[in-house]
Amino acid sequence: GLEYYYTAPYIGNSDTLTVQYIDSGNVIKMTNYNVVLKNKVTFMLYISGENNLGVDNSGFSYALEDLKEIEKVSLKNNYMNVNTVIYIDVPDKIGGNGCYIYTGNAEDTLTINNYVLKGFKNTGYYGNGNTGSVVELTNFINYTKENIQSEKYILDLWSHGDGWRDDTYYRQICYDDGESDSLNMTELENAILNSKIPKIDIIYTDACFMGGIEVAYQLRNVSDYLVFSPELTPGFGGDYTNIIKGINESDFSSKTISEKIVAANGNYYKNFWNIEYSYPYVFSAVEQSKLSELVNALKSVSEEIIKTENSDVIAKIKEFKNNKNVLCYDNYYRNVNSKYVDIGNLFLNIQKTLPTTAHTTALEEEIKILLTAINSYVIYKEYGDGKESINGNLIIYRYEEGTSGLS
């Protein structure tokens, strides 16, 4: 009839509860119980900021500004469903490198380069300071998994990004200028595959140009959902205050969380600029289980284009390399003969202008299947002025002479 009380571990941690008792035969026995108090979501923010995003020539730090956005969340306002773990690497001149957990407690104070941030607790984990290395990312994921128990994990890669340019050097993310290193797409995949969370619920790339089918295909085995941008991402990046609030107020499904991240960023940039100008941003959320359907449809369209052997068809396709309705970004300024174009609107515009032949009729049918697959894959998008026609997923469009230009 006696009552005993036990203080459970902090959310995201584990403990062992030992109970000693005397059984009916008057024998003293002991039983150990593993106590794990999981939170709903752990948000892993990997700030690869040893570059001009960490601190620019004027001394401004986009990285520290994003920490201030997290500070505004305040866990005391019932946001305990989301654990936020931050690994930050910025130039040495402002310091503060290491791993922190956002607690929301005013007693936990972090000072970096005259930024006084409340609610951040140093975990004591520092890593090797090279955020462009496979080992560093793997170790951060492993540290989080070992120390914070969660039902769902989100990995946010915060840095510069280049997507899938027509040059192997630029197919990278997480630029560490101090170490002259970065993660290419194969290294990114391997860093996750070799970690203790080999398939992450959501990968969010807070970086430019990562919203392409080539990138998504590389990450198909390590994520259920992707959140990314097929365009330039403004230096201020994600709206972390409302991203974390949105996650906490969701139903905690990966689909809904992905949509909440996109919505937070879209709303932020709609209100960020003055009424006369809106940044041409694009943010998208995609469901990786639908990717194979999209890839197969794209392959069928490409094969049908090859079958046409019709110069008029090839000419029509080439026309769209500079069409503002399909063009997301032109790489020509880097002497790279390729452009980023939106898959859906490229083929939608091609479909509307094809000459009528037996071959093009078959091609039109394949394009219809492709457009359906794209709409199924891209579950949510937000966009700014001039991007109304964008579907939210890129493909590389190469334009060497004598080819259709499709990659």
Side-chain angles (χ1 to χ4, degrees):
L2 298 176
E3 293 184 355
Y4 298 91
Y5 296 90
Y6 167 71
T7 301
Y10 182 78
I11 289 178
N13 291 302
S14 59
D15 193 10
T16 300
L17 174 63
T18 302
V19 177
Q20 182 175 297
Y21 61 95
I22 299 175
D23 68 7
S24 58
N26 208 32
V27 176
I28 297 175
K29 291 188 175 180
M30 187 179 297
T31 303
N32 292 325
Y33 297 92
N34 291 323
V35 180
V36 178
L37 189 57
K38 292 185 177 181
N39 67 328
K40 292 288 186 181
V41 177
T42 292
F43 190 89
M44 299 181 285
L45 177 55
Y46 187 73
I47 298 180
S48 179
E50 193 163 352
N51 48 54
N52 63 352
L53 293 176
V55 60
D56 64 17
N57 291 333
S58 70
F60 182 81
S61 174
Y62 291 104
L64 298 185
E65 287 296 315
D66 280 345
L67 292 187
K68 286 175 65 177
E69 289 179 2
I70 294 171
E71 181 185 35
K72 293 176 184 176
V73 174
S74 179
L75 291 184
K76 291 183 178 179
N77 289 334
N78 196 31
Y79 291 104
M80 287 296 291
N81 282 316
V82 184
N83 256 337
T84 304
V85 186
I86 306 111
Y87 181 78
I88 182 170
D89 180 30
V90 289
D92 291 339
K93 64 181 179 180
I94 67 172
N97 295 345
C99 187
Y100 305 89
I101 185 167
Y102 180 62
T103 66
N105 295 322
E107 295 80 11
D108 297 325
T109 302
L110 169 66
T111 302
I112 303 177
N113 195 39
N114 297 322
Y115 280 72
V116 179
L117 301 162
K118 293 183 178 180
F120 294 87
K121 185 176 182 179
N122 194 326
T123 66
Y125 172 79
Y126 291 96
N128 62 27
N130 179 7
T131 48
S133 76
V134 173
V135 172
E136 187 76 329
L137 178 55
T138 299
N139 287 346
F140 171 59
I141 296 171
N142 288 348
Y143 175 84
T144 303
K145 178 64 175 176
E146 290 166 359
N147 291 276
I148 300 178
Q149 302 298 316
S150 185
E151 294 177 9
K152 198 175 296 290
Y153 291 91
I154 303 169
L155 175 63
D156 179 351
L157 301 167
W158 185 108
S159 193
H160 287 297
D162 276 299
W164 203 268
R165 296 183 189 275
D166 188 15
D167 184 319
T168 54
Y169 177 76
Y170 290 115
R171 295 175 180 175
Q172 319 220 10
I173 191 173
C174 296
Y175 285 81
D176 191 316
D177 292 351
E179 303 291 338
S180 299
D181 205 356
S182 57
L183 289 169
N184 64 42
M185 294 303 100
T186 302
E187 289 175 328
L188 174 56
E189 178 189 22
N190 288 337
I192 298 168
L193 277 175
N194 295 326
S195 76
K196 295 185 177 180
I197 316 177
K199 191 164 189 179
I200 294 174
D201 299 282
I202 302 166
I203 296 176
Y204 167 35
T205 53
D206 190 0
C208 297
F209 305 130
M210 300 305 294
I213 189 172
E214 295 92 348
V215 171
Y217 191 77
Q218 183 79 55
L219 301 178
R220 67 194 183 281
N221 294 320
V222 296
S223 63
D224 292 323
Y225 288 81
L226 297 177
V227 176
F228 48 31
S229 174
E231 247 287 1
L232 283 164
T233 298
F236 287 97
D239 176 13
Y240 287 95
T241 302
N242 288 304
I243 285 174
I244 295 172
K245 285 183 178 180
I247 294 170
N248 188 78
E249 293 164 2
S250 73
D251 61 8
F252 301 106
S253 70
S254 295
K255 180 177 184 293
T256 302
I257 290 173
S258 300
E259 293 170 345
K260 291 285 187 180
I261 295 172
V262 172
N265 290 343
N267 290 333
Y268 178 73
Y269 286 104
K270 281 175 186 173
N271 300 314
F272 184 84
W273 307 97
N274 63 50
I275 196 167
E276 297 177 356
Y277 177 75
S278 173
Y279 195 91
Y281 60 85
V282 183
F283 299 102
S284 305
V286 298
E287 185 175 348
Q288 289 288 74
S289 65
K290 305 289 182 66
L291 180 60
S292 60
E293 180 185 348
L294 171 55
V295 170
N296 290 336
L298 184 58
K299 181 179 178 182
S300 296
V301 168
S302 302
E303 290 172 348
E304 201 60 48
I305 290 171
I306 294 170
K307 288 179 187 176
T308 63
E309 298 180 354
N310 185 317
S311 59
D312 289 339
V313 172
I314 302 300
K316 287 294 181 185
I317 293 172
K318 284 187 174 183
E319 285 179 11
F320 288 102
K321 72 181 182 185
N322 293 314
N323 188 299
K324 67 178 182 179
N325 289 325
V326 302
L327 180 64
C328 268
Y329 198 75
D330 189 339
N331 296 327
Y332 191 73
Y333 81 103
R334 283 190 172 177
N335 297 316
V336 179
N337 290 328
S338 61
K339 298 175 186 285
Y340 284 147
V341 298
D342 184 84
I343 307 172
N345 282 284
L346 171 65
F347 285 103
L348 184 62
N349 280 276
I350 289 171
Q351 182 187 49
K352 290 177 180 178
T353 58
L354 284 175
T356 303
T357 68
H359 283 301
T360 57
T361 299
L363 177 56
E364 285 182 16
E365 290 303 313
E366 295 295 346
I367 290 176
K368 287 180 183 178
I369 295 171
L370 173 62
L371 294 174
T372 300
I374 292 170
N375 289 332
S376 176
Y377 180 60
V378 180
I379 60 171
Y380 191 73
K381 63 183 177 180
E382 289 278 354
Y383 49 83
D385 286 357
K387 297 297 178 181
E388 293 82 0
S389 62
I390 300 302
N391 274 75
N393 201 238
L394 294 173
I395 189 170
I396 293 292
Y397 187 120
R398 298 191 177 99
Y399 46 94
E400 291 85 356
E401 289 300 319
T403 70
S404 66
L406 291 175
S407 171

